[in-house]
Amino acid sequence: MEKRFIITIDGPAGAGKSTVSKILAKKLGYIYLDTGALYRGLAYKAIKLKISPDDISNLSDLCSNTKVTLKKMDSQMRVYVDGEDVEEKIRTEEVGMVASKISAFAVVRKKLLDLQREAGNNGNIVAEGRDMGSVVFPHADYKFYLDASREERISRRHKELLLKGISAEYELIQKDMQVRDEQDKKREIAPLKAPDGAIIIDSDNLSIQGVVDKIISYINTNQVFTS
Ligand code: DC
């Protein structure tokens, strides 16, 4: 039977993981799984219910009472919260920040773990997040850690928001990025780090296509054949 692969891409906010993962998945004919969208989905509901991101009691109830599902659409897994397609609502900076805060809690991580593993069950998937290669898919066939300096990530995020027509102060993005980095890297459970065995790619001086080419070239020269 044909071997089916799991490719993980971890890294900090603004490193270009989503764009790279989407292009890579398309090129390989794989499914793209954006796990940040799951945390964002829960954050979106917490905001809607006015639950504070450090209110562990209400967050636990939220986890018990919320149905998060993934549906495959155009070779991408789309997130549904209580049956609602939340894709268009979870991409704000506010949702990202709350997602980063609530993702530090064990109850939140536990809630989303099996869902992510199930999505990877059949392989041929590019899974992107913070703990893909370290916790969710430690046996992934190829692990990458996509990094970039904070200055570069801030500047990319700033340009991206301006392109979308969203006015964004550079200093505010700078502050948010610093907070996000600290929250994601310093939490006790599943902190953001380069997983064991991951190939680290510094994208400061690379275009998106340059990063994709590096990943493809690595995969082509390091084929894993297991039965
Ligand atoms: O990738 P993103 O910016 O959409 O993720 C939003 C937040 O979700 C991120 O700051 C931390 C959390 N997250 C996580 O803890 N683990 C993941 N695998 C993915 C995201």
Side-chain angles (χ1 to χ4, degrees), residues 208-221:
I208 290 288
Q209 195 53 49
V211 175
V212 175
D213 289 347
K214 248 184 188 280
I215 292 177
I216 300 265
S217 147
Y218 179 84
I219 292 174
N220 285 339
T221 48

Side-chain angles (χ1 to χ4, degrees), residues 35-36 39-40 99-100 103 109 129-132 180 184 187:
T35 60
Y39 292 91
R40 284 174 180 262
S100 170
S103 65
R109 305 207 72 82
R130 304 292 188 285
D131 61 342
M132 296 297 96
R180 285 272 295 272
D184 293 353
R187 65 181 179 223

Side-chain angles (χ1 to χ4, degrees), residues 26-177:
K26 200 164 181 189
K27 205 170 166 80
L28 298 171
Y30 282 18
I31 290 167
Y32 164 55
L33 174 66
D34 167 10
T35 60
L38 294 166
Y39 292 91
R40 284 174 180 262
L42 278 181
Y44 162 73
K45 187 168 171 190
I47 294 168
K48 213 161 73 167
L49 295 180
K50 299 193 170 27
I51 296 174
S52 160
D54 46 27
D55 179 350
I56 181 65
S57 164
N58 275 317
L59 282 174
S60 297
D61 289 348
L62 175 84
C63 287
S64 310
N65 302 327
T66 305
K67 196 167 164 49
V68 182
T69 41
L70 284 168
K71 273 188 206 163
K72 193 173 147 217
M73 212 178 280
D74 301 331
S75 63
Q76 179 168 338
M77 300 305 276
R78 228 171 146 94
V79 177
Y80 286 72
V81 175
D82 297 329
E84 178 189 359
D85 179 348
V86 292
E87 178 55 40
E88 306 301 326
K89 295 171 180 149
I90 58 174
R91 299 296 165 192
T92 66
E93 294 297 292
E94 183 195 12
V95 173
M97 181 58 84
V98 172
S100 170
K101 288 191 171 131
I102 66 170
S103 65
F105 291 113
V107 68
V108 171
R109 305 207 72 82
K110 190 163 179 283
K111 161 99 185 154
L112 301 173
L113 184 61
D114 288 346
L115 193 59
Q116 297 170 70
R117 288 198 174 138
E118 270 163 35
N121 256 350
N122 293 325
N124 283 8
I125 192 166
V126 178
E128 171 236 316
R130 304 292 188 285
D131 61 342
M132 296 297 96
S134 55
V135 175
V136 181
F137 302 115
H139 305 299
D141 302 281
Y142 297 100
K143 298 181 188 183
F144 297 93
Y145 184 85
L146 186 52
D147 210 352
S149 66
R150 190 178 294 149
E151 281 314 305
E152 180 64 24
R153 291 183 288 120
I154 294 164
S155 143
R156 286 180 193 164
R157 182 57 53 91
H158 189 230
K159 280 188 203 139
E160 186 187 313
L161 289 172
L162 290 181
L163 269 177
K164 282 185 191 161
I166 302 168
S167 75
E169 267 180 53
Y170 189 89
E171 287 71 26
L172 210 64
I173 301 172
Q174 196 170 31
K175 196 162 163 276
D176 274 12
M177 196 67 89

